[in-house]
Amino acid sequence: MTQALALIVDDEPDILELLEITLSRMNINSKAAADLGQARQLLKQHHFDLCLTDLQLPDGNGLELVEHIQKHFPNIPTAVI
């Protein structure tokens, strides 16, 4: 069985690390992005099973990412944290 893959988007390295550790303990792999641009690149490169995003990002708003995912990847559950 393949492990789930999560996209984590946050500009605070400590938060990213905490979320990566937490998801890892839940047997979920993750890829991290520090901004919307990186998140969009990763979405093109990988199939994600879920996304956790911060609301305030250096190059925009987490809600922009939610809208992007809903439009282009409607099967990815997304939560703004």
Side-chain angles (χ1 to χ4, degrees):
M1 186 172 160
T2 308
Q3 280 188 315
L5 182 61
L7 173 60
I8 307 168
V9 187
D10 200 305
D11 58 329
E12 295 182 43
D14 292 346
I15 301 294
L16 284 176
E17 183 179 7
L18 177 62
L19 290 171
E20 286 176 324
I21 290 168
T22 302
L23 290 171
S24 175
R25 289 181 179 160
M26 297 169 64
N27 218 19
I28 299 172
N29 290 328
S30 61
K31 299 279 182 190
D35 58 39
L36 291 175
Q38 289 179 3
R40 287 188 177 119
Q41 255 329 98
L42 287 170
L43 283 162
K44 291 178 186 176
Q45 298 169 352
H46 303 278
H47 169 78
F48 291 100
D49 298 295
L50 68 122
C51 174
L52 302 175
T53 182
D54 190 18
L55 182 59
Q56 298 299 324
L57 296 166
D59 58 349
N61 185 299
L63 296 178
E64 293 174 54
L65 182 61
V66 172
E67 290 173 6
H68 177 80
I69 290 172
Q70 286 176 339
K71 182 176 180 181
H72 300 284
F73 308 95
N75 294 327
I76 301 176
T78 305
V80 177
I81 53 172

